[in-house]
Amino acid sequence: MNDTPDTDGMTEEGRTTRGARQRGPEDTAVIRKALGVALATGVYGITAGALAVAAGLSVLQAMALSLLLFSGGSQFAFFGVIGAGGSPVAAVASSTLLGVRNGFYGLQVSQLLGVHRWARPVAAHFTIDESTAVAVTQTQPRQQRIGFWVTGVGIFALWNLTTFVGAVAGGSIGDPRTYGLDAAAAAAFVGLLWPRLRGRDPLAVAALAVVITVVSAPFVPAGVPVLAAVLAALVVGLPARGPRSGVVAP
Amino acid sequence: MWLAVLAACALAYGLKLAGYLVPQHVLDIPWVHRVTPLLPVALLSALIVTQALLTNDGTLVVDARAAGVGVAVLLLLLRAPFLVVVAAAAVTAALVRALA
């Protein structure tokens, strides 16, 4: 695993070795992480499919959400509102609010991937919590790219397969939470961030983000607490003071 | 309903794409350049708390999820491999739920 903290020279060095093709244990490590995350998250599509149909959506509509929207939080928000008897407009609004964070992810992920102009629309579709988490917690461009694509495409494949199964089978197939998969998904994020929480700034950002989320959560709609945590990055990142070690410098 | 489904999909994709369409010269502004690498840390930390400790209405609760993530943190302190950490969290949460 890449447990070495970032050094200040990392960015330039990383750029020059971008095209390098050396395959090593780092590749295996990131692929293993990516597939682990894909498995822990992808199976959750069963719930996405089952809940969508339970809320009154058709199997085709459930599939459209997983294929085209492809962002778990937004999908659950969408049929959460519909299932509770809310209006379609409210469902769209709620789902969109949950999707704002993907836009923030794109800012950083686009820098790491260095994708061509034509590939950006494709990369954008796969930009979700998990693919971002695996990518930004790698220190080398090669592993960042591998992590992003393997996680993104892996989850997409599994998520859509399990959404279909969940939508067709409904509640009869069981709740992934019985197997602790919700805890596994959260633990995967912790495990990914863990080696990156070494520098002063990432630690400060993480701690502040946790406080902002917990304090704001009871008072604002779902999705807003996570967005409010952007403040943590602003508070820590805005003051210009000397060289710093971010998670991964772009 | 189809209209709402497709509108939600279009808006979600638009937001994802927006992050990629911010011009390089904007990202190169010093303060933007300092803040963007910290954004995923902030968002993912918030997400972890949401997933492990908060209910749907935003109340703080310590349940099977927190137990699973707690075990994960312990194993990370012991330098356990990533997949072991993730699997142990699942097993812990499943056990806590089965026993509850």
Side-chain angles (χ1 to χ4, degrees):
Chain A
M1 261 180 277
N2 294 327
D3 279 0
T4 33
D6 296 359
T7 57
D8 286 328
M10 184 64 85
T11 313
E12 285 12 278
E13 195 182 282
R15 285 245 164 92
T16 52
T17 55
R18 175 161 281 166
R21 279 283 174 273
Q22 71 280 29
R23 190 165 291 162
E26 292 87 2
D27 287 6
T28 316
V30 71
I31 289 172
R32 200 172 286 159
K33 280 185 181 177
L35 293 178
V37 172
L39 194 65
T41 310
V43 177
Y44 240 87
I46 289 179
T47 314
L51 286 184
V53 171
L57 271 66
S58 66
V59 173
L60 216 56
Q61 285 165 340
M63 286 309 299
L65 286 175
S66 280
L67 284 165
L68 303 174
L69 199 160
F70 185 51
S71 190
S74 292
Q75 289 177 241
F76 284 110
F78 185 91
F79 39 71
V81 172
I82 298 290
S87 73
V89 174
V92 173
S94 183
S95 144
T96 303
L97 193 58
L98 266 293
V100 173
R101 66 171 181 260
N102 292 328
F104 285 114
Y105 291 148
L107 291 177
Q108 175 66 1
V109 173
S110 68
Q111 299 290 294
L112 301 183
L113 295 183
V115 286
H116 291 292
R117 196 172 281 273
W118 60 265
R120 282 181 196 169
V122 182
H125 192 55
F126 294 106
T127 304
I128 53 173
D129 297 318
E130 293 80 7
S131 54
T132 302
V134 176
V136 303
T137 50
Q138 299 301 311
T139 52
Q140 298 297 321
R142 181 180 160 83
Q143 279 84 43
Q144 287 163 355
R145 284 201 308 272
I146 293 175
F148 177 84
W149 290 108
V150 173
T151 312
V153 174
I155 292 183
F156 186 77
L158 199 55
W159 182 255
N160 280 286
L161 184 74
T162 53
T163 299
F164 181 72
V165 172
V168 171
S172 63
I173 203 153
D175 188 341
R177 281 180 295 184
T178 314
Y179 308 103
L181 281 179
D182 51 348
F189 285 126
V190 177
L192 289 169
L193 270 187
W194 192 261
R196 298 280 76 84
L197 293 178
R198 296 274 161 85
R200 180 187 57 186
D201 285 358
L203 261 181
V205 169
L208 198 53
V210 166
V211 172
I212 292 173
T213 308
V214 171
V215 170
S216 65
F219 308 106
V220 290
V224 176
V226 171
L227 289 181
V230 165
L231 276 176
L234 288 172
V235 167
V236 175
L238 275 187
R241 49 180 165 88
R244 59 192 58 243
S245 60
V247 162
V248 177
Chain B
M1 188 56 70
W2 267 112
L3 193 65
V5 167
L6 295 177
C9 293
L11 285 165
Y13 182 69
L15 283 168
K16 287 177 179 175
L17 192 61
Y20 285 78
L21 296 182
V22 173
Q24 190 62 45
H25 67 86
V26 174
L27 294 171
D28 287 339
I29 298 169
W31 75 263
V32 179
H33 190 77
R34 286 198 305 273
V35 170
T36 40
L38 297 172
L39 285 175
V41 195
L43 293 165
L44 293 170
S45 303
L47 193 65
I48 291 168
V49 177
T50 309
Q51 290 186 342
L53 293 173
L54 295 176
T55 62
N56 284 338
D57 55 6
T59 328
L60 201 64
V61 64
V62 178
D63 57 12
R65 301 170 304 166
V69 174
V71 167
V73 169
L74 269 178
L75 286 172
L76 285 165
L77 286 169
L78 297 171
R79 298 176 173 273
F82 179 76
L83 292 182
V84 173
V85 170
V86 175
V91 171
T92 305
L95 279 177
V96 170
R97 286 200 178 106
L99 295 173

